[in-house]
Amino acid sequence: MKRVLLLVALLWGAAASARDVVSQVRERLVDVPLLRGDFEQKKTVSGFKKPLVSRGVFLLSREQGVLWDTKAPFASTLTLTRKSLSAEQGTGAAAYHLDASKEPGLAAVNEVMFALLSGDVKALSRRFKVEGELVGAAGWKLTLTPTDTGLQRVFRSIHLEGDQYVRRVQLEEARGDSSVILFDKLSQTPPPSDAEAGRLAK
């Protein structure tokens, strides 16, 4: 009986410790209704020696959506809202458009992407087991393991690092590919331009 009680105490202590870390990370993150900046993404694909590197700019509007504009090596745009996902090549030709009402899994993926970019730990905790640690006076690291069956088919794990903002995201995909995304020149201004607002309103 004593062993059982000791095990329960240890498990409870571990769970409480995990909750404490998550709460402390949330305290270090800035609540951002809008965030924009630069990104560099390195994607490692199984069977290829060198990672695929792309760079560009992004805009996150928590109420409206995410604009992900790749500048190099090829121009392309990705528009993500609560209701849809659209992509275009640099020529302006639509690559694809997905409607969340017709794609049941899209809403979940969209929610995760919003949460990852904004550092919404509370939202991430609904679909992932969250573990982490504090780094120095302002930094933190989190490891997310999906508990959602649909997301388990996409990700093995996600690793986040940051301070007042998310600075690094590492995606480990279920099929073996991985991506590392670094964010720089982050700012909460200026507000969306007319062109950006038009894309988010579609």
Side-chain angles (χ1 to χ4, degrees):
M1 183 66 178
K2 289 182 179 179
R3 291 181 179 179
V4 173
L5 291 175
L6 178 60
L7 179 59
V8 170
L10 288 172
L11 291 174
W12 176 259
S17 178
R19 287 196 298 270
D20 289 344
V21 170
V22 168
S23 297
Q24 290 170 330
V25 170
R26 288 178 64 187
E27 289 176 1
R28 293 189 173 190
L29 283 160
V30 174
D31 185 20
V32 286
L34 184 142
L35 186 67
R36 60 168 75 240
D38 297 349
F39 72 83
E40 178 184 83
Q41 179 173 350
K42 295 182 179 179
K43 184 175 180 65
T44 302
V45 180
S46 300
F48 290 84
K49 292 183 179 180
K50 293 184 178 182
L52 306 173
V53 181
S54 59
R55 297 179 178 87
V57 297
F58 79 94
L59 166 66
L60 163 70
S61 171
R62 191 170 58 195
E63 298 300 323
Q64 296 176 289
V66 177
L67 303 181
W68 192 265
D69 296 346
T70 301
K71 305 296 185 181
F74 306 105
S76 65
T77 64
L78 183 70
T79 302
L80 184 70
T81 70
R82 301 287 181 183
K83 298 179 180 180
S84 66
L85 183 152
S86 302
E88 294 183 356
Q89 301 301 325
T91 58
Y96 56 83
H97 177 84
L98 300 176
D99 190 321
S101 64
K102 299 177 182 178
E103 301 285 343
L106 182 59
V109 173
N110 285 9
E111 180 185 337
V112 170
M113 291 304 296
F114 274 74
L116 287 175
L117 289 173
S118 63
D120 189 342
V121 182
K122 183 178 180 181
L124 291 170
S125 298
R126 291 196 290 265
R127 298 183 182 275
F128 294 87
K129 175 185 177 183
V130 182
E131 300 172 295
E133 61 178 314
L134 302 179
V135 180
W140 52 267
K141 295 181 180 180
L142 292 177
T143 296
L144 312 177
T145 306
T147 54
D148 182 288
T149 304
L151 291 175
Q152 287 174 343
R153 298 192 186 100
V154 182
F155 302 113
R156 285 191 292 113
S157 62
I158 299 175
H159 305 273
L160 304 178
E161 296 180 25
D163 40 47
Q164 62 177 330
Y165 301 119
V166 177
R167 301 285 182 178
R168 183 179 188 272
V169 177
Q170 181 174 340
L171 307 171
E172 300 292 343
E173 298 178 25
R175 61 183 182 182
D177 297 346
S178 64
S179 297
V180 174
I181 309 171
L182 303 176
F183 299 105
D184 192 22
K185 298 179 181 177
L186 300 178
S187 173
Q188 297 183 53
T189 57
S193 66
D194 290 344
E196 290 170 332
R199 286 172 58 189
L200 291 169
K202 291 181 179 178

